Amino acid sequence: MKPRFLPHLLRLCLAGLLALVLAGCQALRPEAEQPASSPPVPAAVLPGPVLAQPARPAVPAAPAAVSNRPRLLVLLVVDGFPQRQLLAYRDQLAPDGLARFLNRGAWFSDAHYGHAFTVTAAGHATVLTGAYPHRTGIIANEWRDALTGEPQYCTGDTTAQYIGHKTQPLDGTSPRNLKVETVGDVLRRADARAKVIGISGKDRGAILPAGQAGTAYMYMTQSGQFASSTYYMPQHPAWVTDFNATKPADRWFKQEWKALLPEEAYARSIPDRQPWFGQKAAALPMMMGAPADEAPGPAYYSQLLRSPFADQLTLDFARAAIAGEGLGQDEVPDILAISLSAHDYINHRYSAESRFSHDHLLQLDRQLQDFFKHLDTTVGRDHYIAALTADHGFMPAPEFTAQQGLRSGRIIGSQLLTRINSALEEEFGAGKWVSFSGSTLLLNKQLISQQRVDPDEVADEARNLLLEEPGIAAAYTRRELAEGSRIDGPFFTAVRRSWHADLSGDVQYIIKPYWMFLSSSSIATHGSPYPYDTNVPLLAWGPRWVKPGKVETRVEIVDIAPTVSQWLGVAVPAASEGKPLPLPR
């Protein structure tokens, strides 16, 4: 007899028995992985490299009543904003910028990313999907095809072109590489009248939060304008054309970035003109544009990204989007995702401990205060929720950590690769056996086939060679990651979350704390599972939905998606691995 024909009482008994069995299975889940041991670090100076904890089992969010939903969710992602900076300069914040969250909203002091390779694309893909890279498919900013070795870009799509701008083969033009849905995708599937807009100085910062069903606009260094791509539309709406026609980026040409506060206010950050900045004139005030420039051009428009003016321009475009799209003006919720890119560019160039970064954060704080006032007026304080986080944190510059007496250094990637390939040649024969792909070594599949060697043997040897390098902390092979056979190894859970079986390379590695790969454009970077990279701000404000208070419970950024889904009254994205945030009560 089929179950649907069982008597009603028997069905109830079976349902109760099933619930008891499931509860018992849940109680038998293994304990969370414990942090790896950390080197001693002065707490008042630098964060210690503690292993990011695994996320808790996903818990469905209870949808909000339709009548109690916000008209607009504003998600702000400050690119490259470590939690330590928020707290270090709290006494210098404006009354109603970031302090709106800290004093009158909810904020989480121990919010982390749970994956190992903490980079821009992976973070932006996580925020509104609630999923780690092993599900989103966004394993890095760029990587190589696992079979052919051809370069891939996280938002690359040769079938889509920028509107009104030249497009290169690896430019970011669509979310086709994003393998899972976002909150915005769920929202628009539930009600096509909902609007989801992503805006950023970087293509990946706009495209990934907007998801498959939203619309993305990104800053063009060719022109100083914002543009979308043909993936979303054949041509821009009138409000975008009108905004660009005013050439808003040109207003800072030959203007100076001046420090907001008197010089003594920056005593807690590194002074200008540090020798490792690599620029003789690396000091504030700083002119936008070269002295010989007669008019704004691509070099000037690119320079803006390393200044507070880029974020001001992005917020101005967001204001135009609110008006042009009518965001937050009816009972159907909309999402406006704004990624502010300048902080990342500044931290790469000068480090998060620099006066440049310190001043930029204070300037951004004032810009956010003005933007919140605009939202209060145009949408209404009781009609929107604002949430703020970052896509990753930032390591201190190795020169700074060395001054603190800590071991640090830079790895020359080309030399490391040469050493490993030379050793592999001695073992397996002539040829280039591995190359870099994201945070992995990628085996040369064609060479392995030609030489008829076992790929697992090559991967094992490459892993062993990596671990002999002075800056490498851990490394795992494809077989180990696929089988889960090294669960007790350092950072193994976080590494598995960054590794995608179809896309990633064959040996995923972790560098040691306070180490980085040498870069011609960056004196500091990110991309590790240490707290300086994983611990980021997580803030929320919305008087009708969010009670004020500090939450010290450890949470993860994957928890944003189910929480936002609850506020908007929609189902949680199918691939989400988070659970609703423990908001103050």
Side-chain angles (χ1 to χ4, degrees), residues 347-541:
N347 285 350
H348 273 294
R349 181 63 64 92
Y350 306 111
S351 85
E353 280 63 43
S354 69
R355 184 167 79 124
F356 290 95
S357 183
H358 183 168
D359 184 72
H360 174 261
L361 184 59
L362 299 183
Q363 300 233 25
L364 175 59
D365 172 58
R366 274 66 174 175
Q367 294 167 0
L368 289 173
Q369 178 172 255
D370 292 341
F371 185 63
F372 294 152
K373 289 179 181 177
H374 180 79
L375 289 170
D376 292 346
T377 301
T378 58
V379 180
R381 291 174 62 89
D382 291 331
H383 294 303
Y384 76 93
I385 295 175
L388 184 146
T389 190
D391 54 344
H392 54 75
F394 238 91
M395 67 170 285
E399 291 80 2
F400 177 77
T401 53
Q403 290 175 357
Q404 313 305 309
L406 300 170
R407 291 179 62 89
S408 61
R410 288 186 171 86
I411 302 168
I412 301 177
S414 60
Q415 294 181 5
L416 180 149
L417 203 60
T418 296
R419 288 191 293 271
I420 291 178
N421 274 312
S422 295
L424 291 174
E425 282 188 338
E426 293 182 6
E427 181 73 19
F428 300 105
K432 183 179 180 181
W433 289 93
V434 295
S435 58
F436 286 120
S437 176
S439 60
T440 71
L441 291 181
L442 177 66
L443 299 186
N444 185 334
K445 306 299 192 300
Q446 293 180 342
L447 181 60
I448 286 174
S449 177
Q450 291 170 4
Q451 299 284 38
R452 297 182 180 181
V453 298
D454 184 347
D456 288 334
E457 290 185 11
V458 180
D460 287 345
E461 183 63 20
R463 176 203 58 206
N464 295 338
L465 292 166
L466 264 178
L467 292 174
E468 294 176 3
E469 293 290 328
I472 302 298
Y476 301 102
T477 66
R478 169 177 291 274
R479 181 172 56 185
E480 290 169 336
L481 292 165
E483 295 176 354
S485 60
R486 297 286 305 282
I487 193 67
D488 294 329
F491 314 110
F492 187 73
T493 297
V495 170
R496 288 191 85 190
R497 290 173 180 157
S498 283
W499 186 79
H500 191 287
D502 298 331
L503 303 171
S504 297
D506 303 282
V507 184
Q508 187 113 12
Y509 55 82
I510 297 294
I511 60 175
K512 288 182 178 178
Y514 311 121
W515 282 68
M516 62 177 284
F517 280 92
L518 181 67
S519 168
S520 60
S521 60
S522 301
I523 67 153
T525 193
H526 48 86
S528 80
Y530 306 118
Y532 51 68
D533 281 340
T534 66
N535 188 198
V536 296
L538 178 48
L539 318 169
W541 178 90

